[in-house]
Amino acid sequence: NEASQYFNRAIEARSEAFAATDAAYGLALIELDHKRFQEAREALRKIIKEAPDFRRRAEVHLALGQANEWLWRTTSWKNDKEKAESELLQRAFDHYQQALERKTEHQDFANFALGKLLYESKHQEEAISYLQRVCTSMMLDHSEVCEANILLGNYFWTEKQDAAKAREYLESVVKKSLGQEIMAAVQRQLGHIARSQNDDDLATQRYEQALAAYKDAQTEDVLEVLVNL
């Protein structure tokens, strides 16, 4: 609230153009942080249109990518075709690309966001190079690095049938501190990989670790692990 007041005062004071645009950008980020995605999108698009030489244009594109992505994720679509062909999705792709091309200060996050969005919208082949750039990043949040590795592990296992590569990515996640649900899913997948290679001892170990992580949960995933054991 205090930040919004200062940004608005800067704009009302009729600051020089670059300062007023900086203030408008700050207000747009606050809208984004408060999950007012439509308002953030409109404010950011106005900056793109009215201030083409804004020194933080790459960051505006990154924020616009996020606004478009979350509007896409939170919209109720009639069917999968409409969702896949949505303009919001294409705009998110475009703005993340623009942020990368214009050398955003948050290159790793832009790579992760674009890679994850491509992966989840059925463009796995395109997604992999972006995710691989950040799978060992020191600049991303711990959870985002883990998610990138999980997506890569699942891709190499389900799409490429490359057990060694899949295991490499998934085992890098096991070494980190994760939530129980994520850890259980990763151990379950590693169990499947070991089982496919007829390594029953390792598969049993992985499945038991998955069960320990699931604790008292009663889901189809738990049943699957029990059946495999």
Side-chain angles (χ1 to χ4, degrees), residues 17-209:
F18 77 91
T21 304
D22 238 346
Y25 170 62
L27 288 170
L29 291 185
I30 290 173
E31 297 283 20
L32 195 62
D33 190 57
H34 287 195
K35 302 187 186 306
R36 294 191 286 261
F37 303 119
Q38 188 60 51
E39 292 85 346
R41 182 174 185 252
E42 291 171 3
L44 292 162
R45 291 178 72 184
K46 185 177 180 181
I47 293 171
I48 292 288
K49 181 179 179 181
E50 296 182 358
D53 297 326
F54 181 46
R55 60 187 174 83
R56 304 186 71 183
R57 188 179 175 95
E59 312 316 317
V60 175
H61 280 293
L62 182 58
L64 252 175
Q66 292 176 269
N68 280 284
E69 176 183 347
W70 284 107
L71 282 170
W72 176 75
R73 289 185 183 279
T74 55
T75 296
S76 296
W77 303 102
K78 294 177 183 177
N79 51 56
D80 290 342
K81 184 175 184 294
E82 183 184 48
K83 185 177 182 179
E85 296 176 355
S86 164
E87 182 185 358
L88 288 171
L89 179 60
Q90 188 57 54
R91 293 295 184 194
F93 290 151
D94 292 345
H95 286 298
Y96 284 142
Q97 287 278 15
Q98 283 287 317
L100 287 167
E101 290 172 10
R102 293 174 181 274
K103 308 297 183 187
T104 169
E105 298 169 4
H106 307 286
Q107 284 278 313
D108 282 6
F109 177 75
N111 275 303
F112 169 73
L114 181 54
K116 179 183 176 182
L117 188 59
L118 285 165
Y119 192 98
E120 293 182 356
S121 55
K122 313 302 182 187
H123 299 282
Q124 285 93 340
E125 292 290 339
E126 297 174 59
I128 297 312
S129 63
Y130 295 104
L131 294 171
Q132 286 177 322
R133 292 173 199 173
V134 298
C135 64
T136 58
S137 173
M138 302 296 291
M139 304 301 293
L140 281 180
D141 286 346
H142 176 74
S143 61
E144 292 165 343
V145 174
C146 289
E147 189 169 3
N149 278 284
I150 290 170
L151 293 175
L152 286 164
N154 289 338
Y155 169 79
F156 280 102
W157 174 236
T158 59
E159 301 295 326
K160 295 297 185 182
Q161 288 77 54
D162 186 336
K165 201 75 175 172
R167 192 188 310 112
E168 178 186 337
Y169 286 115
L170 294 173
E171 286 181 344
S172 74
V173 176
V174 171
K175 298 171 185 175
K176 304 179 186 299
S177 299
L178 297 171
Q180 292 298 307
E181 186 176 342
I182 297 173
M183 183 64 77
V186 171
Q187 293 286 14
R188 187 179 80 247
Q189 187 76 299
L190 285 168
H192 294 341
I193 293 171
R195 187 178 177 213
S196 74
Q197 297 182 306
N198 298 314
D199 190 339
D200 292 343
D201 289 342
L202 181 57
T204 299
Q205 178 186 337
R206 294 297 189 185
Y207 287 140
E208 287 177 344
Q209 288 171 332

